Amino acid sequence: MNLSSGKGSTSSSPLKTGEAVSDQFPAGLRVMVVDDDSTCLRILERMLSVCLYEVTKCKRAEVALSLLRENKNGFDIVLSDVHMPDMDGFKLLEHIGLEMDLPVIMMSADDGKSVVMKGVTHGACDYLIKPVRIEALKNIWQHVIRKRKNGLKDVEQSGSVEEGDRLLKGCDDGDYSSSVNEGRGSKKRRDEEEEGDERDDSSTLKKPRVVWSVELHQQFMAAVNQLGIDKAVPKKILELMNVPGLTRENVASHLQKYRLYLRRLSGVSQQQGNLNNSFISSQDATFGATSINGIHLQTLAVAGQLPAQSLAKLQAAALGRTTAKAGVSMPLSDQKNIFSFENPRLRFAEGSLHHLSNSKPINLLHGIPTNMEPKQLVNLHQSTQTLGNLNMRVNAPAAQNNPLLMQMAQSQPRGQMLSENADSHVARFPSSLVQPTVQNGISNGVLGNRITGTSNLTTAYNTVPQNSSLLSFPMSQTNEMSVDSFPLRSPPGITSIPTKGIFHEQGTSGIKGPGGFVPSYDMFNELHHQKSHDWDLTNTGITYDSSQHANPLQGNVDVSPSVLVHQGFPCMQQSVQTRDATSIGKPLFSTGEGIHPGNHQNVGQHLNNLVGNSVRVKAETFHDPSSQINNLFSDQYGQEDLVTAFLKQQEGVGPSDNELDFDGYSLDNIPV
Amino acid sequence: MEVDQMQRQYLDYTKPLFLEGFLDGQFLQLQQLQDENNPDFVAEVVSLFFEDSERLLNDLTFSLEQKSIDFKKIDAHVHQLKGSSSSIGAQRVKNCCIAFRNFCEEQNIDACLSCLQQVKQEYCHVKNKLETLIRLEQQIVAAGGSIPTMEFSF
């Protein structure tokens, strides 16, 4: 049921609608249940019907996935068995997370700790032990609400961001992760601390987003394939696609997302090494790419590679919405061939992409907003290679085209980085760098719901080819590929502080001054230190840790409270946290990657999966960040009927509890 | 036979099944899911269970007869049988599966074979019981009565 069709209607009488909705809710919740066991499937179907949910049952995961893809907004939550013959439940979980960002509950007769843990790390909202009792099913709606809430919250945040606020501030991880992408739901990232001050917004004009429809994506894919994955630069892709109204920025951001996805899928161990190299070669001012979204231009500027002016422009661009049609989440249904489990192809792509990232920093710049001067472009070029992944939050000035940042952020390497990061490193990054931007859907995605921070970092890394001094990934610091390569590690030479100065210079450009920067950084550190933070916190904002923690695999892998394990399993937060990445990564790879405990690369890879999976790497969805927000929002309104209305009602009631706290942003602020 | 006689007969037959551990609370849950709009729910689920189980048992038999035994596959089958038997409340079958899985892990062929025998036996038992139970239920309903809910102090 669609209770509201848009902001307007929502705001008109939210309470009223909400009340009406809440009376019925959660009745009508659209549940998809997947289980190869007919007996269990039938029983679950019946139980869910008794709970007044709308049930769709599937025996096969592939069928379920295609149903979900065809009907992106047709389901609210998915229940899936773990052991299925045609596809591993965790893999399905991963796909759903990437493509649709729906809450997924895993089920199994297996109550072994490792399996449950795997569910957690892959990002399942919950884990039910069979036989499932109806009482357990009665409460599954909470996961839907939670996700929506987080998503809305992020959107709101994003809105404010776009309005220019926290550019310099580390802002919140929440923005990153949740924001646009899937729109729904990343974990609650809003970190109050990070959000701290809002900056005035300057400009972001909201541009209509490009919706990456199936057809459009197919054209994109055709162009990419024709060019060859390593030669696929946005400009050429755009030309080949020949779609009127599509801009280079749109393509670039989409390409970034795609690459990210590929990288993540193929795991990145070998690339990590390369990335490390390339990163290391960048200047000392390596910032370890924080989240894609959030790389501070300042940082770049500091590195000396980015002239202040460019920085300002970039920032402006980053903030701005991308070109009008920024693509909203792209339906991935047609990407099956890509995403599917075609490893060989991915590997190839991976290899070439890797190559690409190492040797072709240039293409990242294609998305540079047109308002940038050529000279700046040149300047940016070098530094922006790294920027590619950086999502520069531009605070100010014109912000219209975020595309640059977004695109850059969305480079594929991100995916790679995702894999690398996985964890604590993410937290290290100064919040300033991380700046969750709504714009970069991918980065948000990357940040994901779960391990947002990590994902951002990884992404950022990817895009930073050789010279971006700014994006020095921590990798340079350590020899080990694995964790060290995670962008989260702050490179030795770089700290956020220097950027501060630069910021000042750019005052006029609208970039937030150091004030913003520093606090965010502080906040970031703070976040980082707060072990108790859940995923959201660590992930979202934290990609750049300029100096702090050298310990790569620190577990910032907090499991957010929302990832509950059914039947009383403890929230893994603390325990996960301290565990090193290896152990975390391990359970992820039961599907066969074979982690070697000592093998960092694998760990990285696993972590990637960890991140990707659990985080629901938004990157995968290839959303254009800016458009995502809008899109996200309208999607939510359109489809989410009950949930949205319910949430709205909650909001109307006031932030009485944490979950419903919108941080002062009303839903109206969310751009639609 | 009068309805209440049938109902008493039904209870006399069914209660011991629970007390002896053939069926557990999960089966009661299934019965509660049945209503006027879904009058054959239990029967339907039970027959699905029979189909799945027989197939799994055949697969298990086949796998254990091989020269080189694939324990992983066997474990997967047993796991599935465990899942469906627990969902339907066939407690003894489920317990057998648990033991079976342990032996699979140990790769103890003989123990596995003996477990398989046990599982088959338990399955046959519960199948008979369930068939009778459902027949009794259908009799009651056909006679216009309602299936009595069991009261246990579990």
Side-chain angles (χ1 to χ4, degrees), chain A residues 71-142:
Chain A
N71 197 357
K72 277 234 157 153
N73 295 327
F75 296 96
D76 297 310
I77 189 166
V78 179
L79 263 66
S80 172
D81 188 38
V82 167
H83 300 275
M84 293 188 287
D86 64 330
M87 189 195 302
D88 180 44
F90 295 115
K91 193 148 189 115
L92 177 65
L93 166 61
E94 187 179 313
H95 278 280
I96 295 176
L98 290 178
E99 301 178 27
M100 300 115 202
D101 191 30
L102 288 175
V104 181
I105 295 178
M106 303 304 295
M107 305 177 289
S108 180
D110 195 344
D111 58 353
K113 191 170 149 198
S114 64
V115 186
V116 177
M117 178 57 150
K118 205 173 166 191
V120 166
T121 52
H122 278 67
C125 291
D126 203 345
Y127 189 105
L128 304 180
I129 309 285
K130 285 182 177 176
V132 177
R133 292 178 68 88
I134 195 170
E135 292 78 24
L137 296 177
K138 284 202 168 128
N139 285 328
I140 62 174
W141 58 268
Q142 63 173 295

Side-chain angles (χ1 to χ4, degrees), chain A residues 36-40 42-43 46-47 50 57 59 81 83 108-111 130-135, chain B residues 25-26 29-30 33-35 38 41 44-45 48-49 52 79-80 82-84 86-88 94 101:
Chain A
D36 62 312
D37 184 324
S38 328
T39 314
C40 296
R42 182 71 186 95
I43 294 173
R46 177 74 189 122
M47 284 181 172
V50 169
K57 62 176 181 184
K59 265 202 102 165
D81 188 38
H83 300 275
S108 180
D110 195 344
D111 58 353
K130 285 182 177 176
V132 177
R133 292 178 68 88
I134 195 170
E135 292 78 24
Chain B
Q26 190 66 19
Q29 286 234 330
L30 295 190
L33 290 173
Q34 183 165 289
D35 59 16
N38 294 268
F41 176 70
E44 189 189 338
V45 173
L48 284 171
F49 169 67
D52 284 350
H79 174 78
Q80 195 167 352
K82 176 185 168 196
S84 46
S86 66
S87 293
I88 206 166
K94 178 190 79 175
R101 283 191 91 194

Side-chain angles (χ1 to χ4, degrees), chain A residues 54-216:
Chain A
E54 266 181 42
V55 189
T56 305
K57 62 176 181 184
C58 277
K59 265 202 102 165
R60 294 171 43 82
E62 290 274 6
V63 173
L65 205 53
S66 64
L67 271 178
L68 288 165
R69 282 171 180 158
E70 284 166 26
N71 197 357
K72 277 234 157 153
N73 295 327
F75 296 96
D76 297 310
I77 189 166
V78 179
L79 263 66
S80 172
D81 188 38
V82 167
H83 300 275
M84 293 188 287
D86 64 330
M87 189 195 302
D88 180 44
F90 295 115
K91 193 148 189 115
L92 177 65
L93 166 61
E94 187 179 313
H95 278 280
I96 295 176
L98 290 178
E99 301 178 27
M100 300 115 202
D101 191 30
L102 288 175
V104 181
I105 295 178
M106 303 304 295
M107 305 177 289
S108 180
D110 195 344
D111 58 353
K113 191 170 149 198
S114 64
V115 186
V116 177
M117 178 57 150
K118 205 173 166 191
V120 166
T121 52
H122 278 67
C125 291
D126 203 345
Y127 189 105
L128 304 180
I129 309 285
K130 285 182 177 176
V132 177
R133 292 178 68 88
I134 195 170
E135 292 78 24
L137 296 177
K138 284 202 168 128
N139 285 328
I140 62 174
W141 58 268
Q142 63 173 295
H143 301 293
V144 179
I145 295 289
R146 194 175 288 117
K147 225 174 186 0
R148 296 282 166 80
K149 266 232 160 285
N150 290 338
L152 283 178
K153 220 169 170 201
D154 291 332
V155 171
E156 285 176 343
Q157 294 285 346
S158 312
S160 58
V161 169
E162 294 196 325
E163 308 198 80
D165 75 331
R166 358 188 143 131
L167 172 61
L168 301 182
K169 273 186 47 175
C171 285
D172 69 89
D173 303 344
D175 281 353
Y176 280 131
S177 38
S178 57
S179 61
V180 188
N181 301 327
E182 342 274 321
R184 298 176 253 196
S186 14
K187 301 223 175 141
K188 177 182 194 160
R189 286 209 217 93
R190 284 302 131 145
D191 206 4
E192 306 291 291
E193 305 165 348
E194 284 184 283
E195 288 184 2
D197 2 65
E198 277 183 43
R199 295 291 185 215
D200 296 337
D201 153 25
S202 320
S203 30
T204 24
L205 302 179
K206 298 193 183 150
K207 305 217 164 149
R209 292 210 178 115
V210 169
V211 176
W212 281 91
S213 66
V214 172
E215 296 75 25
L216 203 58

